[in-house]
Amino acid sequence: MATFILLAAMVIGLGSGLVIPAGFDTNLILWPAIFAQTLAAVGGLSPDWLTDTKKRSDAVRLLVVHHAAATVPYLAAWIFLPDSVKSTPLAIGLIWLAIVPTAAGLPAYATAARTAPSTITAFALLAYLCGLIITPVLAVVIFGGATDIGRLIVAMLVGLIIPGTLGIVFGRLIRRVPAHVRTAIVAVSMTITTYVFGSAINAALTGGVVSAGVILLALLAGASRVPLSVGLGVLFVGRARSLRPAAALAAGYKNDALAASTALQVAGPLAVVPALGSLLCEMALMLAASLVTSHRRVHRTSAPPHPA
């Protein structure tokens, strides 16, 4: 049920932003919403990954998988592109998706999908800590002075590092809040964040001379990133079947809002569209992960006991 609540929240927020964009500074609602979402998601989890050696090692493994499947291949492809292609908004939008960290809401998604939320939370925190160095360095190398590095760092700190740390510290108090209340907080926060995202895309595309065919191509390009990265991520964990669903989430999710806003600075409105395609496909991934996890749980509970 939590999965469908969060999916509905994302659809409502994104659709509202596209149809009725905000007429004010959306930072006033964006960062408090992301902060609350992450605090509730991380604080609601039992912090067993802090003491469980296997979960810690799995989180590190997921970090490696994330970059191997969702960062390195796109950087390698970027290197060999002609300069004329590298400068196009479509290519720039896709490379920004590659170099930003994972989604700040990933712990909430994993909790809703019941897909190793504790391990995913540890991975997400590690990814953002590494991203404080990796993302700005890659941005400077690729785009030079066309990137607001300070904004990147602040976004990563406010988006996950600070609320994630507070969630750990005050987790015992947060877990006293009823689960349905925490889910409601996350859902409302997701509605706000996706509303801001939809508003940004609307504002970026309004008045732009871009054909529907080009927009569709950009959407498909961004969406195709998700199954490609998911496939590589699952492949990289090999025979560790229990880690495959978590690897799919770790490899598939990127911070689309951060990618969209930074790509807009560098290449204009069309560079935002791949992030929208990525977001839509990630929503489908969350639903698929939830269905797979539920199926496996039903299968295990319905299986006949082994004979003694």
Side-chain angles (χ1 to χ4, degrees), residues 77-92 142-143:
W78 173 269
I79 291 173
F80 294 103
L81 287 176
D83 289 340
S84 59
V85 177
K86 286 181 180 179
S87 61
T88 62
L90 177 59
I92 291 173
I142 295 173
F143 300 111

Side-chain angles (χ1 to χ4, degrees), residues 19 50 52 62-63 76 81 88 91 119 168 202 210 247 282 290:
V19 176
L50 291 170
D52 190 316
L62 290 179
L63 179 64
L81 287 176
T88 62
T119 303
I168 295 168
N202 179 292
V210 180
E282 288 171 3
S290 178

